Amino acid sequence: MIEKNFITSGRNTIIHKNRKFDLLIINGGHPVIIISNRGIGVYTGEVPRKRSEAKKVYQEVIDIGSVECFGEEKTLLFIQALDNKEYKIDYSKINTPAFIKIHQESYI
């Protein structure tokens, strides 16, 4: 069984669980989001094509629409990051300050 660096919870929540790996979130044609142990943001680099390439640079690519994750693209996504904050990503508000917002200051 392949060990994942994240857990899915409910219908639209991803929990980051490994400080060593960064998560790259792909949601259809929308901007790629990176989640690291320091926070969250829009990823501007090249997305690794293979799982082995991603592992070499300590990243894991998560395709929201894949069967292993949620099975469909999402408009609203919640991320519980390792900085003890829960972020809300609203894909209907791309290119606005409300695209990535802190939803809860501390979820623990």
Side-chain angles (χ1 to χ4, degrees):
M1 185 171 164
I2 298 172
E3 180 66 25
K4 294 181 182 179
N5 296 301
F6 67 96
I7 301 169
T8 56
S9 176
R11 297 184 330 166
N12 61 349
T13 303
I14 293 177
I15 302 168
H16 189 191
K17 68 176 194 175
N18 190 341
R19 183 172 295 278
K20 185 177 177 181
F21 281 84
D22 296 338
L23 304 179
L24 298 178
I25 307 290
I26 298 174
N27 190 10
H30 300 297
V32 177
I33 304 296
I34 184 167
I35 301 145
S36 71
N37 62 348
R38 288 168 261 124
I40 189 169
V42 177
Y43 184 68
T44 56
E46 188 175 328
V47 177
R49 296 185 189 276
K50 297 180 182 177
R51 183 177 175 89
S52 61
E53 292 174 2
K55 195 171 184 179
K56 287 179 186 176
V57 291
Y58 299 100
Q59 295 176 337
E60 182 161 348
V61 179
I62 304 170
D63 186 0
I64 298 298
S66 70
V67 176
E68 294 96 27
C69 197
F70 295 120
E72 63 183 1
E73 292 181 17
K74 299 290 184 179
T75 304
L76 191 62
L77 192 63
F78 293 96
I79 307 291
Q80 289 182 0
L82 293 172
D83 61 357
N84 292 332
K85 295 179 184 172
E86 184 176 68
Y87 295 91
K88 178 174 77 170
I89 302 172
D90 190 346
Y91 287 99
S92 66
K93 297 179 180 175
I94 294 174
N95 298 326
T96 68
F99 176 46
I100 300 174
K101 290 185 74 171
I102 295 176
H103 183 63
Q104 286 183 331
E105 200 59 46
S106 178
Y107 63 87
I108 295 178

